[in-house]
Amino acid sequence: MLACLLLVMTMPLLIGIGLFLKSTLLLDNNSIINLLFSKTWKPLNQNFGFYPFIISSIWVTLTAIIIAAPICLLTAIYLTQYSKKYFLKIMHPVIDILAGIPSVVYGVCGVLIIVPFVSTIAPIFGKQSSGYTILSGGIVLSIMITPFILNILIEIFRNIPDELKEASLSLGATKWETIKFVLIKKASPGIISSIGLGISRAFGETMAVLMVVGNVTKIPKNALDPGYPLPALIANNYGEMLSIPMYDSALMFGALILFVVVLFFNIISRLTITKLEIY
Amino acid sequence: MKATETEIKINNLNVFHGNHHTLKNINIEIPKQKITVILGSSGCGKTTLLKCLNRLTDLYSNIKVNGEIIINGEDILHSKEDITNIRRKMGLLSQMPYPLPMNIYNNIAYGLKISGRKKKKYLNKRVEYYLKQINLWEEVKDRLKDPASSLSLGQQQRLCLARGLTVDPNIILADEPTSALDPVSSNAIEELFLNLKQHYTTVLVTHTLRQAKRIADYVVFMYLGEIIEQGPADEFFNNPKMEKTKSYLRGTSN
Ligand SMILES: Nc1ncnc2c1ncn2[C@@H]1O[C@H](COP(=O)(O)OP(=O)(O)O)[C@@H](O)[C@H]1O
Ligand SMILES: [Mg+2]
C-alpha cells in the first residue's frame, strides 16, 4: 500500500521529468524565448513557434473564466443565502452530474448548439463566422468548469459562520450590504482559489474545445476568430508525424507547457485557500 | 428615589424551533440604563431570547416567534419600521468575537458608512472616539490598517463592542461575551459594561454566577425555556424565593 501511495505521489514528478526529457531535443536546438514567442509554426521547416497556440489557449481560458466566474458566484450566493435549503440539496447531484458528463458530449453539444449560435450572432458584431471560434470554445469550457468552481464556492459560503452575518446585520446593514461588503470579502481567498482551479481545468481541457474552436494556426485577434489551443495541437498531431523526431519533441514541449501552467495554477489556488486567510 | 424606567417590555413571548417550544411565556421589564443579567444553564434559551430582541430570529426559517417586545412604545416584532432601523437601536456582542473581514479602522467605520456617513474626517474622529471608549486606542492607534483578526481575542471582543456602539444604540445585547476570554480580558469587558451603564441599557447573558453577582442590577433566571424567577440583584441573590433558584445559587443544579 505504501508503494502505491508513493507511486501516486511521485506520478506528477515522473510525468514532468518524462516530458522534459522528451523535449530536450527541441530545447537543445531552439532558445526557449524563441519557442514561446515566435509566431511561425512550420514543422517541416523546423520552425516551432508556439505563440499562436499559447495565445489561443489564453483566449479560450479567459473567455471561459469571464463567463463562468460571475455566474458561479451569483449562483453560489443565491443557493446559500436566498434559496430554501432543499434547493441546495437538489442542486448538489445536478452539479455532480454536470461534472461527470464526458468531454466529447460537451463537444457534440457545442457543435450542435453553440457553434450555430455563435455563427448567428457574429454579424451583430460585424463579422462573418462559421461559428468555430474562440468564443464557442470559451462558452463550452465555461459550462464544463462551472461545476468545479460552483462546488468550491458553495462550500466556502456555507462555511461562513452565521455570527459574522448577524454582526453585520445587527449594525443595520441590509442583507445585500452584508453579502457585498462582508460575505464576499470573507470568501475572497476562496473565490480567487476557485477561479485558479477553474483556469487550470480550462487550460488543459482538450476534446470539447478541439471540436468547436476551429483549429486554425493563426493568432486570434478577437473572440470571433478561430483559434488553435495547445491541447488541441497535441491531440490532433500526436502519432501522425512521429517520423520527424523534432516534431515529436515539439509536441512534448507543448505538453510540458500545459503541465507547468496547470500545475502552477493548481498550486497557487491551493495556497491561496489555506494561506491567504488574512482577515 | 426615582422609580426606574423600563426600556424593553417583553409580553408573553413564545418561541418555537419547529415543534420544539424553546421559550415559554416570557414576560420581562428590562430597566433602562441598568445591567440586566440573564442567567441559566446551557440550552435554556438565553441566546434565543437575545436574538428575538433585535429580530435576528428572522434569519432562520424554522423559528416562530409570538408575543410582543415593546421598545419606545412600539412592538418591534410587528413594527412597520424598517428592520435595519430597529437593529440600529441595539449593539450586539456575541460569544466569540467575529470581527468583520476588514482592517481595524474599517471594523469601526463600517456601521457609520452603512448609515451613510462617508466623510473621511468625520470617520477618523469617530473611530478614535469609539476606540478610546473601549480603551483600545493606545494599543492599536499605530496599526489601524492591520486586519482585525491580527488582534488578540480579548482585543477583538472589545473591538466588537465598540463596533456595536458606532450605530449609537440605546441598548447593548451581549451573549456570554467573556466565555472565550482569559480572566484579564474578561475583567476588561466587565469594567467596560459598568462604565457604559450610565448611557446604555445592557442585557447580558451569562452562565457564570460570579460575573452575574459582580455586575447585575436586575436578574432573570431561566430554566428549560421558562423564567423561574426575576428581580433586582440584591433580592435575587440574597433572598431567592423559588426552590430551583436556591439550588442553582448553591451550585447543585445544572
Ligand atoms: N437553529 C436551531 N434549530 C433548532 N433548535 C434550536 C436552534 N437553536 C436553538 N435551538 C434550541 O433552542 C434551545 C435553546 O437554545 P439557546 O437559545 O441557544 O440556549 P442557550 O443560549 O441558553 O444555551 C436549545 O434547546 C436548542 O435545542
Ligand atoms: Mg447560548
Side-chain angles (χ1 to χ4, degrees):
Chain A
M1 276 200 300
L2 188 64
C4 294
L5 178 70
L6 284 177
L7 185 67
V8 172
M9 285 183 23
T10 49
M11 202 61 102
L13 195 65
L14 291 178
I15 293 176
I17 292 172
L19 290 175
F20 181 73
L21 291 178
K22 287 279 216 169
S23 322
T24 42
L25 179 61
L26 182 77
L27 288 170
D28 286 344
N29 292 290
N30 299 275
S31 83
I32 194 149
I33 302 287
N34 209 15
L35 289 172
L36 293 179
F37 295 105
S38 156
K39 299 179 175 77
T40 336
W41 178 263
K42 294 224 169 68
L44 298 178
N45 299 347
Q46 305 287 326
N47 284 330
F48 296 101
F50 278 90
Y51 192 68
F53 308 104
I54 293 171
I55 292 299
S56 290
S57 274
I58 293 174
W59 267 95
V60 174
T61 304
L62 280 185
T63 312
I65 289 291
I66 288 168
I67 298 171
I71 293 178
C72 288
L73 185 59
L74 292 177
T75 309
I77 289 172
Y78 180 78
L79 285 173
T80 55
Q81 309 301 322
Y82 288 95
S83 77
K84 293 252 187 301
K85 284 228 168 61
Y86 69 84
F87 202 60
L88 187 58
K89 283 208 186 92
I90 301 172
M91 279 304 284
H92 264 304
V94 174
I95 293 170
D96 288 343
I97 290 168
L98 217 52
I101 296 176
S103 182
V104 230
V105 177
Y106 279 106
V108 171
C109 293
V111 171
L112 292 178
I113 301 163
I114 309 291
V115 169
F117 169 75
V118 171
S119 167
T120 323
I121 62 157
I124 300 174
F125 302 97
K127 294 216 128 214
Q128 290 304 317
S129 168
S130 62
Y132 290 91
T133 57
I134 296 278
L135 181 60
S136 312
I139 294 174
V140 171
L141 259 186
S142 70
I143 302 167
M144 294 181 69
I145 59 177
T146 288
F148 300 96
I149 298 182
L150 195 52
N151 258 338
I152 299 174
L153 289 180
I154 288 176
E155 218 39 51
I156 303 274
F157 277 100
R158 274 201 331 176
N159 282 328
I160 295 177
D162 284 338
E163 285 85 349
L164 189 64
K165 235 182 288 178
E166 292 175 357
S168 168
L169 291 169
S170 74
L171 295 169
T174 60
K175 186 168 182 175
W176 179 237
E177 285 168 333
T178 300
I179 290 171
K180 207 163 48 163
F181 298 130
V182 177
L183 299 194
I184 291 184
K185 195 97 184 269
K186 182 79 181 169
S188 55
I191 295 173
I192 293 171
S193 165
S194 73
I195 290 176
L197 282 181
I199 290 177
S200 79
R201 284 205 76 87
F203 203 82
E205 173 52 41
T206 310
M207 199 55 189
V209 180
L210 177 157
M211 290 167 76
V212 300
V213 84
N215 303 327
V216 175
T217 315
K218 235 181 68 184
I219 298 167
K221 299 224 162 31
N222 59 58
L224 288 172
D225 278 348
Y228 205 162
L230 268 178
L233 171 76
I234 300 166
N236 277 340
N237 297 297
Y238 194 71
E240 271 179 29
M241 308 256 208
L242 294 190
S243 49
I244 309 169
M246 197 60 95
Y247 199 168
D248 177 41
S249 183
L251 292 181
M252 285 301 162
F253 179 67
L256 183 65
I257 299 175
L258 271 183
F259 179 78
V260 169
V261 170
V262 169
L263 201 68
F264 174 79
F265 276 103
N266 241 299
I267 291 173
I268 289 292
S269 28
R270 273 166 221 286
L271 284 183
T272 25
I273 209 162
T274 49
K275 292 262 168 62
L276 217 122
E277 300 270 9
I278 22 173
Y279 290 112
Chain B
M1 212 174 88
K2 204 177 88 184
T4 48
E5 287 175 69
T6 299
E7 178 88 52
I8 308 172
K9 195 162 186 298
I10 303 174
N11 293 331
N12 291 319
L13 183 72
N14 281 281
V15 176
F16 298 84
H17 280 102
N19 290 325
H20 184 250
H21 199 165
T22 310
L23 292 179
K24 299 166 190 165
N25 258 326
I26 304 294
N27 290 284
I28 313 177
E29 293 188 12
I30 294 172
K32 194 173 180 133
Q33 289 166 8
K34 300 268 184 245
I35 297 179
T36 297
V37 165
I38 300 175
L39 265 179
S41 48
S42 164
C44 70
K46 306 181 297 291
T47 298
T48 308
L49 177 58
L50 218 54
K51 283 188 182 175
C52 289
L53 294 180
N54 65 357
R55 288 209 5 218
L56 284 174
T57 43
D58 289 10
L59 298 185
Y60 306 93
S61 55
N62 64 338
I63 302 187
K64 267 211 185 60
V65 181
N66 294 318
E68 289 180 335
I69 297 178
I70 296 174
I71 300 176
N72 281 337
E74 193 167 16
D75 176 10
I76 61 148
L77 291 182
H78 304 97
S79 166
K80 293 212 172 46
E81 198 181 341
D82 193 17
I83 182 68
T84 58
N85 285 335
I86 295 175
R87 291 199 179 122
R88 276 198 192 108
K89 292 174 188 157
M90 295 166 238
L92 175 72
L93 199 54
S94 59
Q95 209 160 346
M96 287 282 294
Y98 284 94
L100 301 170
M102 305 164 186
N103 61 33
I104 296 170
Y105 180 96
N106 279 327
N107 259 270
I108 303 293
Y110 181 78
L112 299 166
K113 286 182 184 167
I114 288 288
S115 46
R117 319 272 170 71
K118 301 241 157 82
K119 289 226 180 65
K120 193 85 191 147
K121 224 164 136 194
Y122 173 84
L123 290 177
N124 288 346
K125 259 194 1 225
R126 294 315 273 173
V127 168
E128 178 173 345
Y129 170 79
Y130 287 113
L131 286 174
K132 278 183 172 157
Q133 218 174 1
I134 52 148
N135 306 325
L136 200 58
W137 176 250
E138 288 304 321
E139 290 158 66
V140 303
K141 66 178 178 200
D142 298 322
R143 44 186 288 210
L144 292 172
K145 295 281 181 269
D146 285 5
S149 58
S150 67
L151 298 170
S152 74
L153 270 191
Q155 291 173 320
Q156 285 183 28
Q157 192 65 310
R158 276 187 280 154
L159 184 73
C160 290
L161 177 57
R163 175 181 74 187
L165 301 181
T166 58
V167 290
D168 210 8
N170 299 324
I171 301 165
I172 297 172
L173 307 174
D175 190 359
E176 306 189 25
T178 60
S179 63
L181 306 183
D182 60 276
V184 176
S185 309
S186 295
N187 274 336
I189 297 271
E190 275 181 31
E191 289 293 322
L192 284 172
F193 280 135
L194 290 171
N195 290 341
L196 293 170
K197 183 164 104 170
Q198 42 183 321
H199 303 295
Y200 301 93
T201 300
T202 308
V203 184
L204 172 76
V205 168
T206 182
H207 62 234
T208 56
L209 203 50
R210 303 228 312 271
Q211 183 173 60
K213 282 183 177 163
R214 281 195 296 267
I215 63 175
D217 296 310
Y218 191 85
V219 183
V220 177
F221 173 55
M222 293 176 59
Y223 183 77
L224 295 181
E226 286 177 281
I227 293 181
I228 302 297
E229 185 167 350
Q230 58 178 315
D234 280 352
E235 219 172 300
F236 180 89
F237 289 119
N238 298 324
N239 193 11
K241 300 190 177 51
M242 308 298 287
E243 238 359 271
K244 280 223 177 64
T245 319
K246 286 178 195 166
S247 63
Y248 182 82
L249 292 177
R250 279 198 305 271
T252 51
S253 150
N254 264 307

